[in-house]
Amino acid sequence: SYSDYMVARAIKNLLKFNDTYNNGRSEVTDILGRGPATHMHHIFPKSQYQKIASYMENLIALTSGQHLQEAHPNGNTQIVDKDFQYTCLICKADNIRRNLMGNTGEEVIYNFNDFMYVLDVGLSTNYFEGLPENDFTAVLSGIDINYT
């Protein structure tokens, strides 16, 4: 279906971007983050959030260990570890900020408003839709509020 195509395309584009501009490393730095980031993980699960499944702002590059031990404990992809989901969102916000505002010569692949939409849908809120463009301080505050 078209939806599956769009998800596969987003995954392929993030993998290519991560390999090119991040040396194929995980977007989350932790003990399991060593080695190549070969898993493109939906921060908000595809099965529960079809509306945002194809947004690159909802995908994060992880190692297989991070994906199958931290994001989905014991490899159970039906379960999402909320603490690791929070970590992924904080890391993703920083990576999006750097991509949009860093002027490092890398291709710009993210959209601030798309990230706000992903957060509002994934966190079942409307807090993010009204934030000023590129106000990442408010984004981080909003993520914190939704996880405390």
Side-chain angles (χ1 to χ4, degrees):
S1 78
Y2 182 71
S3 174
D4 291 336
Y5 165 76
M6 293 303 290
V7 170
R9 182 176 161 203
I11 289 170
K12 178 183 168 188
N13 288 339
L14 180 59
L15 179 61
K16 180 181 175 187
F17 177 86
N18 193 59
D19 285 348
T20 302
Y21 298 107
N22 194 31
N23 296 318
R25 294 184 316 249
S26 174
E27 292 185 68
V28 176
T29 303
D30 67 9
I31 190 101
L32 294 176
R34 297 185 183 131
T38 56
H39 289 229
M40 302 301 114
H41 167 67
H42 284 90
I43 300 169
F44 298 107
K46 179 176 129 180
S47 61
Q48 296 171 351
Y49 300 93
Q50 274 293 313
K51 285 171 59 172
I52 56 174
S54 64
Y55 284 75
M56 282 203 304
E57 292 80 3
N58 186 34
L59 294 170
I60 191 161
L62 300 176
T63 66
S64 60
Q66 289 173 315
H67 192 217
L68 299 174
Q69 293 177 43
E70 293 180 302
H72 303 294
N74 299 317
N76 184 345
T77 58
Q78 302 305 308
I79 297 172
V80 174
D81 182 280
K82 293 294 184 186
D83 290 336
F84 193 70
Q85 183 180 54
Y86 168 81
T87 298
C88 287
L89 286 173
I90 296 300
C91 292
K92 194 68 188 188
D94 188 52
N95 291 336
I96 291 172
R97 180 193 57 76
R98 280 189 279 126
N99 183 245
L100 295 175
M101 302 170 66
N103 297 324
T104 59
E106 70 185 27
E107 174 187 3
V108 175
I109 62 167
Y110 297 114
N111 178 289
F112 183 81
N113 291 327
D114 286 352
F115 188 42
M116 297 308 96
Y117 180 70
V118 164
L119 290 170
D120 276 335
V121 171
L123 297 172
S124 301
T125 184
N126 62 1
Y127 168 85
F128 297 95
E129 71 183 7
L131 294 183
E133 186 83 13
N134 296 332
D135 186 349
F136 284 95
T137 300
V139 170
L140 294 175
S141 294
I143 293 170
D144 281 344
I145 288 167
N146 281 278
Y147 281 87
T148 54

